[in-house]
Amino acid sequence: EDIVVSDVHLDEQQARVTIRRVQDRPGIAAEVFTAVAEGGVMVDMIVQNVGHDELTDLSFTVPRVDLERCLLLVRELISDWPGATLSYDGEMALLTVMGIGLRSHTGVGERMFRALSDAGVNVQLVNTSEIRFGVVVARTDAAKAHQALLAAFGLQA
Amino acid sequence: EDIVVSDVHLDEQQARVTIRRVQDRPGIAAEVFTAVAEGGVMVDMIVQNVGHDELTDLSFTVPRVDLERCLLLVRELISDWPGATLSYDGEMALLTVMGIGLRSHTGVGERMFRALSDAGVNVQLVNTSEIRFGVVVARTDAAKAHQALLAAFGLQA
Ligand SMILES: C[C@@H](O)[C@H](N)C(=O)O
Ligand SMILES: C[C@@H](O)[C@H](N)C(=O)O
C-alpha cells in the first residue's frame, strides 16, 4: 500500500482576513492583492468560493504579526466599496496534509474530515489540491486536530 | 532572477458542485465527502470559505463526466438538510499556476490577478498555496485566460 500522506503540518503563525461582499467582477482580486503586496504584507493562502448576486467573499491568510498592518491596508482600500465588510481571525490554525495523489487515492479526504469530526473540531476553511489538503481550524483546536490527523494517517511517533 | 512560475495548466475536464448554506459544525464535510467517495466520484479540489450565521458554502470539483452522478448523490444526502441548496457548473475551467515559492516571491499573485483582470476574465473561485495557485473561470474565458497567464509569466512559445 502506497504511503500517500507524508506529513501533517501545523501552522499557528497565520491570521485570516476576509473581505465580505466584494463585487464579483474582473479587477477586484487584482486590487486587493496589489494593495496588500504594496504594503509589504505577504499572503500565504487565498480562498474564494463561488459568488451569488454578483457578490462574493474573499479570504486570505497573512503572518499573524502582519495582521494589523494588513487590516489598515484593506480598510483603506475598501472604504468606498459599497457593502463590503472586513472581518478577521487572529486565532486560527492551519493544518496541512501533504503527500502525493491525495485526490486519486481514495479515502484521504474522507479520512481527514472524519478524523476532525470525530475529534469535535470544526473546519472553518478548506483549500485542497492533489498534493496538499489545507484546513483552517480554531487555534484552541489546533493541538487536538493535529494529533487526530497524525493518528488518522499513521504518522504518530 | 529565479524562474518562479514553471507552468500554467488549463483543465477543462472538471465541473463544480456547490452546496450552499450547510451547517458550519463538525461532521458536515465528513458526510459530504464520504457520500461522494462511496458513490465512486473522485473529488479534485475543495474550496470552503469562512461561514457566518453558522452556515457556510462548500464547493468542490469533480470530473465533468461524473457531474450528474455526483449531483444525484449530493441531492440525496442533503434532502433533509434545512436550507441547504445545490448548485453546479458544468462549464468551468481550472487554471493552475505552478512553481516554487509563489507566496514568498512577491508579485506572482498580483501578476496573475492583474493579467486576468486586464483580459476581462472574472475569477470565480480561488484556491492557492505556496506551490500552486488555482483559479476557476468560465470555460468561455479559458483560452483567453490561459494565454494571458502564459504571457504574464513569460511562458509563451
Ligand atoms: C472577487 C474577485 O475574485 C473577482 N471575481 C475578480 O475577478 O477579481
Ligand atoms: C462546513 C463543514 O466544513 C463543517 N464546518 C465541518 O467541519 O464539517
Side-chain angles (χ1 to χ4, degrees), chain A residues 17 67-76 86-88:
Chain A
V17 176
L67 177 59
E68 286 70 21
R69 182 151 56 97
C70 185
L71 292 173
L72 284 173
L73 292 163
V74 175
R75 253 183 214 120
E76 170 69 17
L86 186 59
S87 69
Y88 62 94

Side-chain angles (χ1 to χ4, degrees), chain B residues 69-142:
Chain B
R69 183 151 56 97
C70 186
L71 292 173
L72 283 174
L73 292 164
V74 176
R75 252 182 214 121
E76 170 70 18
L77 175 70
I78 71 170
S79 53
D80 60 352
W81 289 15
T85 60
L86 185 59
S87 70
Y88 62 92
D89 183 0
E91 300 301 318
M92 62 162 270
L94 174 64
L95 283 153
T96 307
V97 174
M98 285 170 289
I100 51 164
L102 299 184
R103 165 197 65 132
S104 39
H105 286 78
T106 56
V108 177
E110 303 83 72
R111 194 185 302 188
M112 175 182 77
F113 289 120
R114 182 62 62 194
L116 294 170
S117 170
D118 287 348
V121 174
N122 192 49
V123 173
Q124 299 177 344
L125 287 88
V126 182
N127 176 332
T128 74
S129 68
E130 180 150 353
I131 53 175
R132 176 193 172 283
F133 283 2
V135 293
V136 172
V137 303
R139 192 157 308 154
T140 48
D141 282 341

Side-chain angles (χ1 to χ4, degrees), chain A residues 67-142:
Chain A
L67 177 59
E68 286 70 21
R69 182 151 56 97
C70 185
L71 292 173
L72 284 173
L73 292 163
V74 175
R75 253 183 214 120
E76 170 69 17
L77 175 70
I78 71 171
S79 53
D80 59 354
W81 289 15
T85 60
L86 186 59
S87 69
Y88 62 94
D89 183 1
E91 300 301 318
M92 62 162 271
L94 174 64
L95 283 154
T96 306
V97 174
M98 286 170 288
I100 52 164
L102 299 185
R103 166 196 64 132
S104 39
H105 285 78
T106 56
V108 178
E110 303 83 72
R111 194 185 304 187
M112 175 182 76
F113 289 120
R114 183 61 63 194
L116 294 171
S117 170
D118 287 349
V121 175
N122 192 48
V123 173
Q124 298 177 344
L125 286 88
V126 182
N127 177 332
T128 74
S129 68
E130 181 151 352
I131 53 176
R132 175 193 173 285
F133 283 3
V135 293
V136 172
V137 302
R139 192 158 306 156
T140 48
D141 283 340

Side-chain angles (χ1 to χ4, degrees), chain A residues 43 46 49 59 103 127-128, chain B residues 43-44 46 49 59 103 127-128:
Chain A
V43 169
I46 304 171
N49 206 340
S59 289
R103 166 196 64 132
N127 177 332
T128 74
Chain B
V43 169
D44 185 77
I46 303 170
N49 206 339
S59 289
R103 165 197 65 132
N127 176 332
T128 74

